[in-house]
Amino acid sequence: MKIVFMGTPDFAVPCLKKLAVSSHEVAAVFTQPDKPKGRGYKMIPTPVKSAALEYNIPVYQPISLRKGEDAENAMKILHDIAPELIVVTAYGQILPKEVLELPKYGCINIHASLLPKYRGAAPINWVLLNGETETGVTSMQMNEGLDTGDMLIKKSTPIGKNETYSELYSRLSEIGGEVLMETIDGILNNTIIPEKQDNSQSCYSPMISKAMSYLDFNMSVHDVHNTVRGVTGYTTMNGKRLKVFSSEISDCNLPSVPGTIVDTERFGVSCWDGVIIFNEVQLEGSKRMKTADFLRGRKLTEGEKLG
C-alpha cells in the first residue's frame, strides 16, 4: 500500500518506524514546521521529521492544510502522490474534507485512549489526572469531527498506580505502532468491522495549562498524587519553586496541617486526608534528582510548610 504519514511528536515515531520497515511504501511524511529552541533559538526538527530523514522519506512541513498558499501546495503534493491511505498520529492539524476523501482507504488516526472516552488533545494527561486504572490505543477512521470517527481496533492496557505521564506516554506510543500495523492488515484483508462511537459515553480531554500543575495540599492525597502523575506537580519551598516528577501515597497517615512535612526521611507531606511521598524532585536552581539524592544534600525539618 502507498501511504502518507502525518505526525509530529515522539509519540508518533514508533508508528512511522514500523511503517518504514514494513512492506508498505511510505511515500511522504507531513509534520509541523521546525521550531526555535534553547538560548540560541536554533531551529529544531520535529521528532517525526528526524525519524523520516533516517529512512530517506520525503518530508513536507506546511503551516496549514486548510488555507493559504501552503495548503494549496500541500494539496497538489498529495494529489501527485495519490496515496491509498493516510495515517495520522498526533499531527497537530485538523485535516480538511478534501484530504480526508483523497485516499482510496481514507485517513486513519491512532489515538491514545479507549474511545469514545478522552477525545481531544491530551488523553494521556487526563486519564492520570482522573485516576483511571485502564487506558489504551484506538485506531479510527477519520471524519470531519474531533475524534468521532468509526473505531477500527482497540488495545487496552492497565495503568500502574504510580505510573507517570512520561512512562505511560512511552508505553502507549509503542502500543500505537502495534495497533497501526494490525489495522492496516485488517483493512487489506477486509477483516475489520468498523464500530460506531457511542457519543453518550464520550468525554473530552482539553489542552493542559501550567496552572493545573500547582499542588494544593488541601485536596485529597489521591488528587495530589494524580496531579504529579498527570502533569508534573509543583509547589514552593523556602520561596523557591519545587517540581515533583513522581510520587506515591504513604501507607501511614500522620495528621497535620496540609502542606506540612511530616516524614523527613522520605519527604512525606501532609494532605487533608493522607500523606504523599515525593520520589523525584527538582528545586529551583538545582537539577532533577531522586529524593534520596536530594536529601543527602538537604536536611528537612519536620513541620516545615510547603506552598
Side-chain angles (χ1 to χ4, degrees):
M1 198 187 287
K2 184 190 281 189
I3 295 171
V4 165
F5 184 85
M6 297 182 175
T8 297
D10 290 322
F11 184 85
V13 170
C15 286
L16 175 57
K17 287 189 172 183
K18 282 190 176 292
L19 280 177
V21 299
S22 71
S23 58
H24 305 292
E25 176 194 352
V26 186
V29 161
F30 280 66
T31 188
Q32 295 280 58
D34 297 352
K35 289 186 177 180
K37 217 171 187 182
R39 292 181 180 177
Y41 290 96
K42 182 181 178 183
M43 298 300 287
I44 303 296
T46 71
V48 161
K49 178 180 180 178
S50 297
L53 295 177
E54 287 179 25
Y55 293 98
N56 297 315
I57 303 170
V59 176
Y60 301 96
Q61 297 176 275
I63 295 171
S64 172
L65 291 177
R66 300 181 70 84
K67 60 183 179 180
E69 188 178 340
D70 248 20
E72 293 174 10
N73 291 337
M75 285 309 309
K76 183 180 185 309
I77 291 165
L78 287 170
H79 278 286
D80 288 345
I81 293 171
E84 295 168 271
L85 178 72
I86 293 177
V87 173
V88 181
T89 309
Y91 178 36
Q93 290 199 40
I94 296 173
L95 306 191
K97 185 177 181 181
E98 186 179 359
V99 173
L100 294 173
E101 295 178 347
L102 176 64
K104 174 182 177 181
Y105 295 104
C107 301
I108 61 170
N109 177 245
I110 303 300
H111 185 75
S113 80
L114 297 174
L115 291 171
K117 295 185 74 175
Y118 297 101
R119 296 170 176 170
I124 303 175
N125 300 98
W126 282 101
V127 295
L128 294 171
L129 285 167
N130 291 339
E132 301 279 8
T133 58
E134 181 186 47
T135 187
V137 174
T138 306
S139 60
M140 163 187 61
Q141 193 78 48
M142 294 178 70
N143 60 18
E144 290 187 86
L146 180 62
D147 300 329
T148 56
D150 291 353
M151 300 177 292
L152 304 176
I153 285 180
K154 282 186 181 183
K155 186 167 284 192
S156 64
T157 183
I159 302 173
K161 66 179 182 178
N162 296 325
E163 191 165 19
T164 63
Y165 170 81
S166 60
E167 293 165 342
L168 185 57
Y169 181 100
S170 296
R171 288 206 300 116
L172 291 178
S173 68
E174 295 297 334
I175 294 172
E178 297 167 9
V179 168
L180 171 60
M181 301 314 295
E182 288 181 30
T183 301
I184 292 174
D185 287 346
I187 289 171
L188 286 173
N189 297 325
N190 201 27
T191 55
I192 292 179
I193 301 174
E195 178 186 354
K196 295 284 183 188
Q197 293 192 42
D198 181 354
N199 290 329
S200 69
Q201 299 296 313
S202 72
C203 62
Y204 184 62
S205 55
M207 292 288 286
I208 297 300
S209 69
K210 288 184 178 180
M212 295 170 63
S213 296
Y214 178 72
L215 298 179
D216 181 356
F217 298 106
N218 291 299
M219 296 167 61
S220 76
V221 69
H222 286 92
D223 285 341
V224 173
H225 179 50
N226 290 338
T227 297
V228 171
R229 297 169 67 216
V231 291
T232 300
Y234 82 89
T235 183
T236 55
M237 186 176 187
N238 293 329
K240 289 188 174 183
R241 188 182 182 97
L242 179 74
K243 288 185 179 180
V244 185
F245 295 94
S246 68
S247 60
E248 62 184 274
I249 296 173
S250 175
D251 54 5
C252 63
N253 190 2
L254 303 170
S256 187
V257 176
T260 302
I261 295 175
V262 292
D263 184 339
T264 58
E265 293 185 4
R266 296 192 298 163
F267 209 152
V269 181
S270 182
C271 302
W272 79 264
D273 65 346
V275 174
I276 187 165
I277 305 295
F278 295 163
N279 289 332
E280 190 173 4
V281 297
Q282 182 178 14
L283 188 63
E284 186 179 338
S286 184
K287 63 181 182 180
R288 176 175 172 173
M289 63 185 76
K290 298 291 185 184
T291 296
D293 296 323
F294 177 81
L295 294 179
R296 285 193 187 97
R298 185 184 185 93
K299 185 175 175 63
L300 297 179
T301 303
E302 190 171 333
E304 184 178 352
K305 190 85 159 50
L306 302 183

